[in-house]
Amino acid sequence: MSHFTKVKTKINDLEALRRGLDALGYPYEVGGRVRAWDKTEVDAAIKINLPGAYYEIGVVPEADGYALTADWSMLGIGRTQDEIVNGINRAYSVAKVTMECEAAGYSFEGAPEVQADGSIVLNAVQWS
C-alpha cells in the first residue's frame, strides 16, 4: 500500500529552495497538485518533478516552514527517501547561505566543496 508521507525539514525560504532545485537540475512547478499511487492528491507550494519518477514530491506548508511530501515508496527512481531529501536539504542550505552572504556584501571564491563527512565549505570574501 502506498501513501503520502511528510518529511520534516528546515525549509522556510521558497526562493532559496527554488535556487537549490535549479542547482540540482530538478524540474519543478510553483503550485500544483502532487499525486500518489492510490490516486490521492495534495496541494503543494512547489511540485518537484524528479527525472524518471512516477510521482512528484510536494513542498507543503507547515506551521513553522515547509515539509516535503511524496509517495516515497512509489517514486521508482532507485534512490531512497533519505538520499533525495538529504540532497534537496543540502542544495537548499547552500542556496540560503549564499543568498544571505551576498545580501551582506560577500562574494564567493570557487564552488562549494563537499567534505568527506557531508559538510559543505563555502569560501566567502568581503572586500573593504
Side-chain angles (χ1 to χ4, degrees), residues 50-112:
L50 291 181
Y54 297 130
Y55 300 101
E56 308 86 12
I57 298 171
V59 179
V60 295
E62 294 281 302
D64 59 345
Y66 294 88
L68 299 175
T69 188
D71 190 343
W72 300 101
S73 64
M74 298 301 290
L75 286 180
I77 59 171
R79 288 190 288 163
T80 67
Q81 172 183 326
D82 285 345
E83 290 171 330
I84 296 165
V85 171
N86 290 342
I88 291 171
N89 281 335
R90 188 176 304 122
Y92 167 77
S93 297
V94 169
K96 182 68 173 167
V97 168
T98 301
M99 289 169 59
E100 295 293 328
C101 288
E102 288 173 345
Y106 289 88
S107 60
F108 293 89
E109 292 181 343

